[in-house]
Amino acid sequence: MIEKVLIANRGEIALRIHRACKEMGLSTVAVHSEADRDAMAVRLADESVCIGPAPSANSYLKKSQIIAAAEITGADAIHPGYGFLSENAQFAEMVEAHDLIFIGPTAHHIRTMGDKITAKQTMIDAGVPVVPGSEGGVSSISEGKKVAKKIGYPVLVKAASGGGGRGMRVAETEKDLETAIKSAKTEAKAAFGDDAVYLEKYLGKPRHIEIQLIADTHGNVCHLWERDCSLQRRHQKVFEEAPSPALNQAQREEIGTIVAKAVKKMGYRGAGTMEFLYEDGNFYFIEMNTRIQVEHPVTEMITGIDLIREQIRVADGKKLSFTQDDVLLVGHAIECRINAEHHETFVPSPGKITDFHAPGGPDVRLDSAVYAGYKIPPHYDSMIAKLIVHGRTRNECIMRLRRALDEMVVGGVDTTLPLHRKLVEAQDVVDGNYDIHWLERFLGLK
Ligand code: ADP
């Protein structure tokens, strides 16, 4: 039985996991780098262990040090959060080999979904619609040309091990294909140590719509509706909402059911997200994330379900605490990712936060681990807060979000708050009328 959870992450997600644990009556262990001694999760956790110097390669990615910290403190389970080791199959195996519980799926499922070529094939076999493209990887330029001709230009070259928008190149015509394949391979090799690539039809104006799932080890699988994460910059999500303004209830029920069936067929356990592109009424699977996602709170706000709590429960062998019929969809929620970056140049702005005021009031949630006096270290991701707002209707949600964004104060560093304040005034955002390229056009990048 899980009684003590080691949190193998940092920042807001470490605090989020700590909060879920405390509400379940569990003890927490925070691991941290030398740069994160003053982190809020470290201050609040029952115990903490320093696992190495600031660079994540020497701390948050050091599997053996994290497992040693779990053994020293007598933790029963490890929650990996998102990023870092959350989708590392070898880590999941090591955790289990040390008789600890990995709060996540099996190593097998992490591995299968971590390779996007295998993931796509698995989805085809499970009856999930995918983006038209190569069957498996593309090993030569001439093979790529053949496939591209068949699916039609423009095409997207994607890395099998890709993540975070890296290892992706568009080829508008056949003469761009060779360069696109070569540069996608080079980038993928450098970032993931694997240069396998595949081809997909490049969709011109899709929305990014993803379905949240959770499964227990007793054969119960539920979907928790969708999130629309189409507002992206460099394939990175900036603003997410649920439900999607583009879908009606029948469409969301249909795709949710297809996805839950597929996950049941796989024998999957834990939380996961199936990501789709949605264009002209059709869904196309792009990838599955086998972890909790940054944007999970928007789903929590519309369903009232604590996803981290459920992750811990199912990892502990318990049944999901709800059935599909219990998964409500109430009102509307939006999340803004607030980064310590200049709002126009996106240059990171680490340093000391001199003033900090969190917005509050009804249905306003701020997931953040920063505070006045906190020094943002330069070594990690620049996201410092997620502002999540709920309303009975989308309109109420947007009015509340405007109000909350206006209340929020972060002094001493640059943040992307001014961008979010502009976004919630933009007519297309108010109308829900946007695709994955909208934000880059808005920013004048396209
Ligand atoms: P990553 O794992 O790097 O995030 P994804 O496969 O999830 O890669 O794709 C990230 C983003 O790239 C998508 O949300 C979408 O904006 C864009 N994208 C991916 N595949 C396609 C495609 N076939 N056509 C157009 N855009 C795509």
Side-chain angles (χ1 to χ4, degrees):
M1 218 179 76
I2 299 179
E3 287 176 353
K4 193 189 269 194
V5 176
L6 181 141
I7 304 163
N9 214 299
R10 64 179 304 283
E12 69 83 23
I13 193 66
L15 188 54
R16 168 75 188 88
I17 297 163
H18 167 81
R19 285 171 170 156
C21 290
K22 287 289 117 186
E23 291 178 15
M24 296 172 81
L26 308 176
S27 308
T28 55
V29 180
V31 292
H32 64 89
S33 71
E34 284 168 6
D36 279 338
R37 284 189 195 285
D38 297 326
M40 196 46 99
V42 175
R43 290 162 67 165
L44 293 177
D46 297 303
E47 289 167 79
S48 64
V49 181
C50 181
I51 49 164
S56 34
N58 300 326
S59 48
Y60 297 104
L61 293 171
K62 276 274 179 214
K63 304 182 187 82
S64 52
Q65 263 133 261
I66 295 170
I67 289 172
E71 293 200 320
I72 293 164
T73 54
D76 319 294
I78 299 186
H79 196 308
Y82 51 69
F84 295 127
L85 295 170
S86 60
E87 288 177 298
N88 187 306
Q90 198 199 4
F91 181 60
E93 269 162 4
M94 279 174 72
V95 170
E96 291 185 351
H98 285 80
D99 281 334
L100 295 161
I101 295 171
F102 181 73
I103 304 176
T106 58
H108 165 72
H109 285 132
I110 297 176
R111 206 166 266 136
T112 308
M113 293 300 134
D115 181 302
K116 294 186 178 185
I117 296 174
T118 330
K120 233 176 138 176
Q121 194 53 51
T122 309
M123 289 307 129
I124 294 169
D125 297 344
V128 176
V130 304
V131 187
S134 53
E135 277 174 35
V138 164
S139 50
S140 66
I141 307 288
S142 61
E143 190 191 344
K145 283 185 179 165
K146 248 190 243 159
V147 175
K149 201 171 223 165
K150 211 163 111 199
I151 57 179
Y153 286 91
V155 295
L156 187 61
V157 184
K158 294 174 86 171
S161 302
R166 281 173 302 172
M168 253 189 257
R169 290 288 183 282
V170 183
E172 297 288 348
T173 63
E174 189 174 293
K175 70 177 185 350
D176 311 325
L177 189 64
E178 185 165 346
T179 321
I181 292 179
K182 282 186 177 158
S183 62
K185 272 181 173 291
T186 310
E187 189 171 292
K189 184 82 190 161
F192 316 108
D194 169 17
D195 71 352
V197 296
Y198 63 106
L199 289 193
E200 255 176 18
K201 172 95 192 139
Y202 180 73
L203 301 175
K205 47 176 181 49
R207 299 178 79 109
H208 173 115
I209 297 183
E210 58 187 34
I211 316 290
Q212 176 69 53
L213 295 145
I214 190 149
D216 64 22
T217 49
H218 303 271
N220 303 303
V221 182
C222 293
H223 72 79
L224 288 89
W225 314 110
E226 81 280 7
R227 295 183 285 261
D228 193 319
C229 313
S230 303
L231 291 177
Q232 303 180 350
R233 180 180 157 266
R234 293 196 177 161
H235 305 303
Q236 301 258 28
K237 298 160 191 168
V238 171
F239 174 110
E240 302 104 342
E241 63 178 307
S244 169
L247 298 189
N248 61 38
Q249 191 58 20
Q251 286 171 304
R252 68 174 56 91
E253 274 173 21
E254 189 186 345
I255 190 72
T257 308
I258 292 175
V259 160
K261 249 195 212 152
V263 164
K264 191 170 166 111
K265 191 170 171 213
M266 283 164 62
Y268 188 82
R269 132 198 126 193
T273 301
M274 261 201 225
E275 297 193 331
F276 291 88
L277 294 177
Y278 173 81
E279 192 174 84
D280 299 330
N282 297 310
F283 283 95
Y284 304 96
F285 169 85
I286 46 172
E287 69 163 339
M288 180 170 179
N289 291 314
T290 53
R291 54 170 162 81
I292 196 74
Q293 286 189 279
V294 174
E295 60 273 23
H296 75 275
V298 290
T299 299
E300 296 185 324
M301 297 291 262
I302 58 159
T303 59
I305 289 167
D306 180 334
L307 281 164
I308 307 279
R309 181 191 185 97
E310 294 302 320
Q311 275 193 302
I312 298 171
R313 283 177 57 89
V314 302
D316 207 10
K318 299 194 174 86
K319 287 188 177 163
L320 285 173
S321 68
F322 52 86
T323 64
Q324 188 66 60
D325 290 342
D326 301 326
V327 183
L328 304 175
L329 195 176
V330 179
H332 200 92
I334 300 179
E335 170 180 281
C336 296
R337 296 193 192 192
I338 298 157
N339 293 350
E341 288 172 0
H342 188 271
H343 68 280
E344 281 167 345
T345 61
F346 300 98
V347 172
S349 176
K352 189 167 172 176
I353 295 180
T354 50
D355 306 286
F356 189 75
H357 176 73
D363 290 336
V364 173
R365 166 173 170 181
L366 191 77
D367 277 20
S368 173
V370 306
Y371 50 88
Y374 175 75
K375 251 180 145 172
I376 304 167
H379 314 280
Y380 313 106
D381 188 271
S382 58
M383 192 176 75
I384 53 163
K386 304 186 307 202
L387 173 61
I388 312 109
V389 164
H390 185 263
R392 286 172 303 174
T393 61
R394 190 169 184 274
N395 186 44
E396 188 177 281
C397 185
I398 288 178
M399 294 306 286
R400 182 164 285 146
L401 182 56
R402 285 180 184 166
R403 185 274 285 169
L405 283 165
D406 283 344
E407 269 177 38
M408 187 163 176
V409 177
V410 183
V413 294
D414 291 333
T415 75
T416 51
L417 273 168
L419 167 65
H420 287 291
R421 292 185 185 124
K422 262 199 268 175
L423 280 181
V424 290
E425 299 293 337
Q427 196 57 49
D428 284 338
V429 174
V430 172
D431 296 340
N433 175 29
Y434 52 76
D435 61 34
I436 60 167
H437 306 297
W438 185 92
L439 182 56
E440 294 196 341
R441 282 196 302 267
F442 181 73
L443 293 169
L445 302 173
K446 272 200 173 168

